[in-house]
Amino acid sequence: MEVEPLKIMISGAPASGKGTQCEFIKSKYGLVHIAAGDLLRAEIASGSENGKRAKEYMEKGELVPDEIVVMMVKHRLIEMDVQENGWLLDGYPRSVSQATALEELHIRPDLFILLDVSEEILVERVVGRRLDPVTGKIYHLKYSPPQNEEIAARLTQRFDDTEEKVKLRLVTYHKNLESVLSIYNDVIVEVDGNLPKEEVFERIDSILSSLRQKKLKTESIS
Ligand code: AP5
């Protein structure tokens, strides 16, 4: 029997491990990963006017204006692969206006995962994060080091991954958090993100498999 695909939002402070957990979730549950930050970095890389404007805000750790972000995410959410496989929305919505834009389209998640990580750990994760431009894989110099010298030599660092900038990003995050949470009160689950990434995923995995079971039961009754 066909089960309606899962619809998941994942939120948390900068470098709380959203992208890392999305990789695990995507490979086990086949959901389409839509990361607002990645869409924006692709826009910057394209050299467009929107990309140039977005970068100015990202440099300051502020939210990029809705007229750039909202359309970008909305367009992605209505594509066929997302409709068929379900979605995993990472770093979106980050403000009431973004959440309201989704509500107006009757787009609501089955679950809103909130990764909870202490500030000290967040700074260490940001400063040590590296990206592989060839595979898109996320590394950490201490916690997930590259497998060989060849990969190590090509790793890059994000322009907003400095201690100074992550502190600005954190201020923005805390300013908006409560109001976004209030919209998803009934579906929020808080997960301890301080643990090693495999242990964080164990917890998320158990929540998602129960959710899938529940959906299956509900649909077989109706
Ligand atoms: P975005 O790209 O979304 O950045 P962020 O929210 O700051 O989150 P990160 O991508 O930095 O971290 P993450 O939680 O994915 O952690 P990761 O898994 O990489 O946004 C960037 C900017 O874009 C924003 O500041 C804003 O300007 C703009 N923007 C984005 N969305 C927007 C929106 N909706 N509206 C307006 N503007 C928007 O992990 C981090 C590191 O830690 C890695 O090195 C990883 O290997 C390591 N790690 C992960 N988990 C663990 C673990 N459990 N143990 C040890 N190490 C771990």
Side-chain angles (χ1 to χ4, degrees):
M1 183 188 161
E2 282 273 307
V3 191
E4 196 209 320
L6 293 174
K7 296 171 283 182
I8 308 294
M9 286 177 179
I10 185 161
S11 172
S16 53
K18 301 182 290 295
T20 301
Q21 292 306 317
C22 285
E23 283 305 308
F24 285 120
I25 299 171
K26 192 171 73 174
S27 66
K28 174 144 186 195
Y29 292 89
L31 306 181
V32 179
H33 178 204
I34 305 172
D38 289 348
L39 292 176
L40 287 166
R41 281 182 286 278
E43 196 65 39
I44 295 175
S46 78
S48 71
E49 273 313 307
N50 272 349
K52 283 184 197 138
R53 252 191 96 202
K55 192 170 183 199
E56 286 170 25
Y57 289 86
M58 291 165 82
E59 294 266 18
K60 291 184 279 182
E62 289 172 11
L63 293 184
V64 172
D66 280 358
E67 66 263 25
I68 298 176
V69 190
V70 173
M71 286 313 283
M72 216 178 249
V73 175
K74 265 192 195 172
H75 280 147
R76 188 67 189 94
L77 273 170
I78 56 172
E79 281 176 44
M80 196 49 96
D81 60 332
V82 179
Q83 300 293 316
E84 282 171 359
N85 301 306
W87 45 262
L88 177 58
L89 208 41
D90 164 0
Y92 191 96
R94 288 196 204 217
S95 64
V96 171
S97 57
Q98 292 177 6
T100 310
L102 292 181
E103 294 281 297
E104 281 165 5
L105 294 172
H106 305 288
I107 298 176
R108 266 191 88 74
D110 299 313
L111 191 74
F112 185 103
I113 301 170
L114 178 64
L115 290 177
D116 185 24
V117 178
S118 76
E119 193 163 325
E120 204 185 325
I121 292 185
L122 292 173
V123 173
E124 193 195 14
R125 286 191 187 166
V126 159
V127 176
R129 171 168 46 197
R130 296 293 182 274
L131 302 170
D132 183 344
V134 175
T135 61
K137 203 168 173 265
I138 311 166
Y139 289 94
H140 190 281
L141 296 178
K142 182 169 162 194
Y143 300 112
S144 307
Q147 302 88 323
N148 56 50
E149 281 300 313
E150 189 191 343
I151 298 175
R154 67 182 186 223
L155 294 183
T156 58
Q157 198 171 12
R158 255 168 58 176
F159 64 84
D160 55 351
D161 269 356
T162 61
E163 185 166 346
E164 178 205 357
K165 285 189 177 146
V166 76
K167 293 209 161 134
L168 297 173
R169 284 155 63 195
L170 268 169
V171 171
T172 304
Y173 171 72
H174 287 298
K175 203 162 71 185
N176 293 290
L177 181 64
E178 286 308 318
S179 56
V180 173
L181 294 186
S182 69
I183 296 177
Y184 299 108
N185 246 334
D186 52 336
V187 287
I188 294 173
V189 55
E190 215 169 309
V191 172
D192 183 356
N194 295 293
L195 303 169
K197 60 184 180 185
E198 294 79 10
E199 288 177 40
V200 179
F201 181 62
E202 265 174 43
R203 169 89 178 106
I204 292 178
D205 190 18
S206 102
I207 299 167
L208 290 183
S209 47
S210 321
L211 178 65
R212 202 165 51 176
Q213 284 303 319
K214 211 165 101 193
K215 274 196 157 210
L216 190 61
K217 273 194 201 143
T218 319
E219 281 170 37
S220 62
I221 293 168
S222 57

